[in-house]
Amino acid sequence: MNLEKIKSDIEAAVPGCRLQIILNGSPSGQHSLLLGREHAVEIARFLRDDPELRLDYCSNVTGVDWLDSETSEKVKVKKLVDGVEQEVEEVRKTRTPGYLEAVYHLYSMEKKHGPLVLRLRPENRTDHVTLPSLTPVWRSAEFQEREIFDLYGIIFEGHPDLRRILMWDEFEDHPMRKDYVEPNDYEYEPTPHDAVLEKSKQARAIEGQR
Amino acid sequence: MDLELKEALSRQGIFTTTLEELYNWGRRSSVWPLTFGLACCAIEMIATSMARYDLARFGAEVFRPSPRQADLMIVAGTVTKKMAPQVVRLYNQMPEPKYVIAMGACAISGGPFKQGYNVLKGIDRYIPVDVHIPGCPPRPEALMDAFITLQKKIDAQSLTGADRPRHLNAEEPSEFIVPQYGAHDLEPPKNVKLWNIITKNIPNGPGTASDNEPRKD
């Protein structure tokens, strides 16, 4: 499976779609395709039905919450130092804000190939957290999209039954997000240390005020 | 009754007993556990009740599928926060006298999931536990040891007096608050009337200083 070829096939089949290959630098080299939200369902349907690809089995759907990241690179810049033009190395920092992501792993039972990894990213993590649901294309995504909705708070549009699956319905938080703060119930800790020690101190302070 | 006199009489073939002994003997020799397993500890509990370990030797072979007919709840496994209200409700539905064995690291403290968001940090936050068994999971021998410990506890109970068991004291509650699903956690996160007793015992713990009164729930 050549990702470049798949990309050009999709572009030919679904005109005007946004696609980007995301390279994986690790030894596994499992590169993936980032899909635009608008055409995701169309692309998914193409991947499933295309006679060459026939990716008929969606084995895994998962969510990822990426933190804000900062990458620094050294750039050579021409500058005037004491009236003389010189090349000076500068460290340029680029900040990428954190984002949520849903990752789909596709295989073909018929052609015995795979996986093809798809990624979908909602616009932001606060108010535009919707993604198109791929459950109408691969039924096996249903529960796993519900899990992502439950734990990451991504809303899947077009999902037939979008409810929480692990936590109770009244629950409001999304526990797998990196900024989730869990309730502090560490008031009884016989051997606290490190993070638990801090939490248990806080819990006891709150307990003392009651 | 004088123990020496009792022994002397029994040597002569005269059997003497007290109502208390008889009553406790009857209760401890036929404890019916609730058929109830939550996670991997339940497999050990099942093994304990089967032929190899044979819990029937101690009179607890009748696992009841209904809380109305059970005396003993073996909390075998991880209690998730989503499951906790159901566990407490089952306990409330059991008739007195009733006992609880918290089996395994998860049931007594949350175990390896303690620092997670969805596991209750010990079932004794909501219901009174008679015997705690550590282990992950505890071996069947450990469960039998806990069961024998419970039998000893039942045997030692006196029918009258201030420290009489709960089922003989009309003022003691036999039902406990069932937690509700809240927006961030279970509401209340613990039964203060039960939990305060335990936290009072830790040095510098809550409940030692100003506020010893149980909070109203």
PDB file of all heavy atoms in Angstrom, chain A residues 131-146:
ATOM      1  N   LEU A 131     -16.863  16.333  14.506  1.00  0.00           N
ATOM      2  CA  LEU A 131     -16.238  15.606  13.398  1.00  0.00           C
ATOM      3  C   LEU A 131     -17.361  14.826  12.719  1.00  0.00           C
ATOM      4  O   LEU A 131     -18.340  14.472  13.363  1.00  0.00           O
ATOM      5  CB  LEU A 131     -15.201  14.619  13.924  1.00  0.00           C
ATOM      6  CG  LEU A 131     -13.845  15.141  14.349  1.00  0.00           C
ATOM      7  CD1 LEU A 131     -12.981  13.977  14.786  1.00  0.00           C
ATOM      8  CD2 LEU A 131     -13.164  15.876  13.219  1.00  0.00           C
ATOM      9  N   PRO A 132     -17.225  14.538  11.439  1.00  0.00           N
ATOM     10  CA  PRO A 132     -18.228  13.664  10.815  1.00  0.00           C
ATOM     11  C   PRO A 132     -18.038  12.234  11.308  1.00  0.00           C
ATOM     12  O   PRO A 132     -16.904  11.768  11.439  1.00  0.00           O
ATOM     13  CB  PRO A 132     -17.927  13.787   9.323  1.00  0.00           C
ATOM     14  CG  PRO A 132     -16.510  14.194   9.268  1.00  0.00           C
ATOM     15  CD  PRO A 132     -16.233  15.014  10.475  1.00  0.00           C
ATOM     16  N   SER A 133     -19.142  11.578  11.590  1.00  0.00           N
ATOM     17  CA  SER A 133     -19.055  10.193  12.044  1.00  0.00           C
ATOM     18  C   SER A 133     -18.827   9.265  10.863  1.00  0.00           C
ATOM     19  O   SER A 133     -19.432   9.424   9.804  1.00  0.00           O
ATOM     20  CB  SER A 133     -20.348   9.806  12.748  1.00  0.00           C
ATOM     21  OG  SER A 133     -20.377   8.429  12.947  1.00  0.00           O
ATOM     22  N   LEU A 134     -17.952   8.291  11.041  1.00  0.00           N
ATOM     23  CA  LEU A 134     -17.722   7.310   9.987  1.00  0.00           C
ATOM     24  C   LEU A 134     -18.472   6.003  10.268  1.00  0.00           C
ATOM     25  O   LEU A 134     -18.266   4.999   9.589  1.00  0.00           O
ATOM     26  CB  LEU A 134     -16.225   7.038   9.810  1.00  0.00           C
ATOM     27  CG  LEU A 134     -15.377   8.263   9.444  1.00  0.00           C
ATOM     28  CD1 LEU A 134     -13.967   7.851   9.094  1.00  0.00           C
ATOM     29  CD2 LEU A 134     -15.978   9.045   8.276  1.00  0.00           C
ATOM     30  N   THR A 135     -19.354   6.043  11.281  1.00  0.00           N
ATOM     31  CA  THR A 135     -20.146   4.850  11.584  1.00  0.00           C
ATOM     32  C   THR A 135     -21.041   4.425  10.415  1.00  0.00           C
ATOM     33  O   THR A 135     -21.190   3.229  10.184  1.00  0.00           O
ATOM     34  CB  THR A 135     -20.963   5.086  12.857  1.00  0.00           C
ATOM     35  OG1 THR A 135     -20.070   5.491  13.882  1.00  0.00           O
ATOM     36  CG2 THR A 135     -21.691   3.839  13.305  1.00  0.00           C
ATOM     37  N   PRO A 136     -21.642   5.360   9.660  1.00  0.00           N
ATOM     38  CA  PRO A 136     -22.429   4.905   8.510  1.00  0.00           C
ATOM     39  C   PRO A 136     -21.600   4.129   7.488  1.00  0.00           C
ATOM     40  O   PRO A 136     -22.147   3.351   6.718  1.00  0.00           O
ATOM     41  CB  PRO A 136     -22.947   6.214   7.905  1.00  0.00           C
ATOM     42  CG  PRO A 136     -22.929   7.184   9.017  1.00  0.00           C
ATOM     43  CD  PRO A 136     -21.771   6.807   9.877  1.00  0.00           C
ATOM     44  N   VAL A 137     -20.289   4.332   7.483  1.00  0.00           N
ATOM     45  CA  VAL A 137     -19.436   3.619   6.535  1.00  0.00           C
ATOM     46  C   VAL A 137     -18.939   2.309   7.140  1.00  0.00           C
ATOM     47  O   VAL A 137     -19.017   1.254   6.525  1.00  0.00           O
ATOM     48  CB  VAL A 137     -18.243   4.509   6.113  1.00  0.00           C
ATOM     49  CG1 VAL A 137     -17.424   3.812   5.049  1.00  0.00           C
ATOM     50  CG2 VAL A 137     -18.740   5.854   5.612  1.00  0.00           C
ATOM     51  N   TRP A 138     -18.403   2.384   8.368  1.00  0.00           N
ATOM     52  CA  TRP A 138     -17.938   1.178   9.055  1.00  0.00           C
ATOM     53  C   TRP A 138     -18.716   1.044  10.354  1.00  0.00           C
ATOM     54  O   TRP A 138     -18.505   1.822  11.295  1.00  0.00           O
ATOM     55  CB  TRP A 138     -16.447   1.264   9.380  1.00  0.00           C
ATOM     56  CG  TRP A 138     -15.573   1.250   8.172  1.00  0.00           C
ATOM     57  CD1 TRP A 138     -15.311   0.184   7.371  1.00  0.00           C
ATOM     58  CD2 TRP A 138     -14.834   2.358   7.640  1.00  0.00           C
ATOM     59  NE1 TRP A 138     -14.455   0.558   6.371  1.00  0.00           N
ATOM     60  CE2 TRP A 138     -14.139   1.884   6.509  1.00  0.00           C
ATOM     61  CE3 TRP A 138     -14.684   3.699   8.002  1.00  0.00           C
ATOM     62  CZ2 TRP A 138     -13.321   2.696   5.746  1.00  0.00           C
ATOM     63  CZ3 TRP A 138     -13.879   4.495   7.247  1.00  0.00           C
ATOM     64  CH2 TRP A 138     -13.201   3.995   6.121  1.00  0.00           C
ATOM     65  N   ARG A 139     -19.565   0.070  10.435  1.00  0.00           N
ATOM     66  CA  ARG A 139     -20.420  -0.087  11.604  1.00  0.00           C
ATOM     67  C   ARG A 139     -19.601  -0.324  12.883  1.00  0.00           C
ATOM     68  O   ARG A 139     -20.014   0.029  13.982  1.00  0.00           O
ATOM     69  CB  ARG A 139     -21.379  -1.268  11.364  1.00  0.00           C
ATOM     70  CG  ARG A 139     -22.459  -1.445  12.410  1.00  0.00           C
ATOM     71  CD  ARG A 139     -23.425  -0.288  12.377  1.00  0.00           C
ATOM     72  NE  ARG A 139     -24.079  -0.103  13.646  1.00  0.00           N
ATOM     73  CZ  ARG A 139     -25.192  -0.714  14.014  1.00  0.00           C
ATOM     74  NH1 ARG A 139     -25.793  -1.515  13.191  1.00  0.00           N
ATOM     75  NH2 ARG A 139     -25.718  -0.500  15.205  1.00  0.00           N
ATOM     76  N   SER A 140     -18.412  -0.925  12.715  1.00  0.00           N
ATOM     77  CA  SER A 140     -17.600  -1.239  13.897  1.00  0.00           C
ATOM     78  C   SER A 140     -17.100   0.008  14.608  1.00  0.00           C
ATOM     79  O   SER A 140     -16.604  -0.067  15.720  1.00  0.00           O
ATOM     80  CB  SER A 140     -16.411  -2.103  13.490  1.00  0.00           C
ATOM     81  OG  SER A 140     -15.666  -1.436  12.489  1.00  0.00           O
ATOM     82  N   ALA A 141     -17.248   1.174  13.990  1.00  0.00           N
ATOM     83  CA  ALA A 141     -16.772   2.400  14.637  1.00  0.00           C
ATOM     84  C   ALA A 141     -17.766   2.919  15.667  1.00  0.00           C
ATOM     85  O   ALA A 141     -17.435   3.823  16.443  1.00  0.00           O
ATOM     86  CB  ALA A 141     -16.516   3.477  13.586  1.00  0.00           C
ATOM     87  N   GLU A 142     -18.958   2.328  15.727  1.00  0.00           N
ATOM     88  CA  GLU A 142     -20.022   2.922  16.529  1.00  0.00           C
ATOM     89  C   GLU A 142     -19.642   3.085  18.009  1.00  0.00           C
ATOM     90  O   GLU A 142     -19.645   4.197  18.546  1.00  0.00           O
ATOM     91  CB  GLU A 142     -21.294   2.081  16.422  1.00  0.00           C
ATOM     92  CG  GLU A 142     -22.427   2.696  17.217  1.00  0.00           C
ATOM     93  CD  GLU A 142     -23.702   1.872  17.185  1.00  0.00           C
ATOM     94  OE1 GLU A 142     -23.829   0.988  16.343  1.00  0.00           O
ATOM     95  OE2 GLU A 142     -24.566   2.152  18.036  1.00  0.00           O
ATOM     96  N   PHE A 143     -19.277   1.972  18.647  1.00  0.00           N
ATOM     97  CA  PHE A 143     -18.972   2.036  20.080  1.00  0.00           C
ATOM     98  C   PHE A 143     -17.699   2.824  20.340  1.00  0.00           C
ATOM     99  O   PHE A 143     -17.565   3.504  21.344  1.00  0.00           O
ATOM    100  CB  PHE A 143     -18.829   0.622  20.657  1.00  0.00           C
ATOM    101  CG  PHE A 143     -20.140  -0.002  21.061  1.00  0.00           C
ATOM    102  CD1 PHE A 143     -21.330   0.474  20.552  1.00  0.00           C
ATOM    103  CD2 PHE A 143     -20.176  -1.051  21.965  1.00  0.00           C
ATOM    104  CE1 PHE A 143     -22.535  -0.082  20.916  1.00  0.00           C
ATOM    105  CE2 PHE A 143     -21.382  -1.617  22.338  1.00  0.00           C
ATOM    106  CZ  PHE A 143     -22.560  -1.141  21.814  1.00  0.00           C
ATOM    107  N   GLN A 144     -16.752   2.726  19.417  1.00  0.00           N
ATOM    108  CA  GLN A 144     -15.476   3.396  19.652  1.00  0.00           C
ATOM    109  C   GLN A 144     -15.611   4.905  19.476  1.00  0.00           C
ATOM    110  O   GLN A 144     -14.956   5.676  20.166  1.00  0.00           O
ATOM    111  CB  GLN A 144     -14.421   2.808  18.733  1.00  0.00           C
ATOM    112  CG  GLN A 144     -14.352   1.307  18.937  1.00  0.00           C
ATOM    113  CD  GLN A 144     -13.210   0.652  18.214  1.00  0.00           C
ATOM    114  OE1 GLN A 144     -12.054   0.964  18.440  1.00  0.00           O
ATOM    115  NE2 GLN A 144     -13.529  -0.281  17.356  1.00  0.00           N
ATOM    116  N   GLU A 145     -16.498   5.322  18.572  1.00  0.00           N
ATOM    117  CA  GLU A 145     -16.765   6.763  18.475  1.00  0.00           C
ATOM    118  C   GLU A 145     -17.502   7.241  19.714  1.00  0.00           C
ATOM    119  O   GLU A 145     -17.264   8.357  20.200  1.00  0.00           O
ATOM    120  CB  GLU A 145     -17.567   7.058  17.203  1.00  0.00           C
ATOM    121  CG  GLU A 145     -16.690   7.018  15.959  1.00  0.00           C
ATOM    122  CD  GLU A 145     -17.420   7.387  14.687  1.00  0.00           C
ATOM    123  OE1 GLU A 145     -18.658   7.493  14.703  1.00  0.00           O
ATOM    124  OE2 GLU A 145     -16.733   7.561  13.662  1.00  0.00           O
ATOM    125  N   ARG A 146     -18.373   6.387  20.241  1.00  0.00           N
ATOM    126  CA  ARG A 146     -19.039   6.752  21.501  1.00  0.00           C
ATOM    127  C   ARG A 146     -18.023   6.898  22.621  1.00  0.00           C
ATOM    128  O   ARG A 146     -18.142   7.778  23.469  1.00  0.00           O
ATOM    129  CB  ARG A 146     -20.065   5.685  21.876  1.00  0.00           C
ATOM    130  CG  ARG A 146     -21.399   5.897  21.232  1.00  0.00           C
ATOM    131  CD  ARG A 146     -22.350   4.789  21.595  1.00  0.00           C
ATOM    132  NE  ARG A 146     -22.725   4.813  22.998  1.00  0.00           N
ATOM    133  CZ  ARG A 146     -23.482   3.870  23.565  1.00  0.00           C
ATOM    134  NH1 ARG A 146     -23.933   2.862  22.876  1.00  0.00           N
ATOM    135  NH2 ARG A 146     -23.796   3.954  24.850  1.00  0.00           N
TER     136      ARG A 146
END
